Amino acid sequence: MRRKLLMGNWKMHKTVAEARAFAEALGRMSGRLPADVDLVLCPPYTALHPLRVILPAAVRLGAQNAHEAPHGAFTGEVSVPMLQELGVQYILAGHSERRQMFGDTDERVREKVRAIAEAELIPVLCVGENLEERRSGRTYEVVRRQVDIGLSALGPDAVKTAVVAYEPVWAIGTGQAATAADAQDVIGRIRMWIRDSHGAEAADGVRILYGGSVKPDNIAQFTAQPDIDGALVGGASLDPESFVAMAQAVAQGGA
Ligand code: PGA
């Protein structure tokens, strides 16, 4: 049985002071956090350490990106061991904003996923088609390529504990979420493709999330789908009330 997972991706939002205020508010509501859902927040790097100290224990830390090398002359980058030292347990790889704006290719993303898994942290491989790819009927082809290459450095055991987030680019930050049926269709196929390449145990264990304009009032329709194990949420994860409401909706929908 796969545990449900709710991840908040803060992107480039919140100073340390703002992150602390969020964590304190969440602390006051911690009695409402469900025990049967894994909860993860991915703040900017600068807020990782302050959050580790004050976040409720039920909420784990994630990072939004990492460099694939352990150290070196890579000005401005942060490595997996550096994040691990701060208590980070999950790391996103290949978020569409990284792919579009910072040149993360499928091959680069594969190396990031490899580095994260080798450190025994959980890679969260982000995949998804853009509007033009969807309109031209290439969704399956694009997503399959991203999944195949992104996971290709991992053995079946590492795939089983990894996370994949399906985030159609046109749904991110637009208020225009995919329908639950469309998300289930693509995510069901992702699980099938993983079965083809990595075997049944990996496919049954890997958790696959939906992301793109998820909010408290639509999250349960996604997590009620048979292959959708949770959500990766941007904008709606910035407010503590909304984060708790989504956690509760996932717990109820996933029971
Ligand atoms: P959104 O972002 O929830 O604000 O659409 C999702 C994401 O980019 O992970």
Side-chain angles (χ1 to χ4, degrees):
M1 191 57 197
R2 298 183 295 268
R3 269 175 74 82
K4 297 277 185 202
L5 171 60
L6 172 65
M7 298 190 68
N9 170 17
W10 284 359
K11 311 191 179 187
M12 200 171 73
H13 293 289
K14 294 195 190 291
T15 62
V16 168
E18 290 163 344
R20 280 212 180 98
F22 178 103
E24 280 159 12
L26 198 62
R28 289 191 289 274
M29 294 185 268
S30 61
R32 289 163 52 199
L33 292 173
D36 54 351
V37 179
D38 288 341
L39 302 170
V40 180
L41 279 176
C42 305
Y45 293 139
T46 45
L48 283 169
H49 180 68
L51 278 185
R52 186 191 185 182
V53 178
I54 51 171
L55 262 187
V59 184
R60 305 303 158 111
L61 275 183
Q64 300 172 17
N65 181 41
H67 195 277
E68 61 273 25
H71 49 75
F74 301 107
T75 301
E77 292 290 313
V78 172
S79 74
V80 173
M82 292 169 184
L83 295 167
Q84 189 163 31
E85 187 186 32
L86 295 181
V88 162
Q89 291 175 299
Y90 295 75
I91 304 181
L92 308 187
H95 188 279
S96 65
E97 287 152 17
R98 303 275 337 157
R99 293 178 189 263
Q100 286 180 310
M101 293 184 266
F102 303 101
D104 282 13
T105 60
D106 285 325
E107 288 68 27
R108 197 83 200 277
V109 172
R110 176 193 63 214
E111 294 312 308
K112 292 181 186 219
V113 168
R114 182 206 303 272
I116 298 162
E118 279 175 357
E120 297 190 346
L121 302 186
I122 301 177
V124 181
L125 169 67
C126 303
V127 300
E129 81 286 0
N130 65 30
L131 191 56
E132 190 267 316
E133 290 160 344
R134 167 155 288 243
R135 286 197 172 135
S136 59
R138 294 169 53 221
T139 297
Y140 298 156
E141 171 202 326
V142 168
V143 174
R144 182 165 196 170
R145 188 197 71 230
Q146 293 173 339
V147 171
D148 282 352
I149 300 177
L151 297 179
S152 61
L154 305 187
D157 285 346
V159 173
K160 186 173 156 188
T161 54
V163 175
V164 175
Y166 169 59
E167 301 199 296
V169 177
W170 47 270
I172 294 179
T174 58
Q176 189 75 53
T179 64
D182 278 351
Q184 163 61 32
D185 172 55
V186 177
I187 287 174
R189 280 167 202 272
I190 292 174
R191 201 176 295 288
M192 208 173 69
W193 298 328
I194 292 177
R195 181 168 285 118
D196 288 349
S197 313
H198 303 275
E201 231 188 282
D204 292 340
V206 65
R207 289 185 290 180
I208 312 182
L209 313 180
Y210 168 74
S213 297
V214 172
K215 322 182 269 263
D217 61 6
N218 68 9
I219 192 166
Q221 68 193 61
F222 294 106
T223 54
Q225 303 296 319
D227 285 298
I228 306 184
D229 302 311
L232 175 56
V233 185
S237 72
L238 292 166
D239 173 65
E241 271 294 345
S242 147
F243 187 74
V244 172
M246 290 188 289
Q248 290 181 323
V250 173
Q252 279 150 22

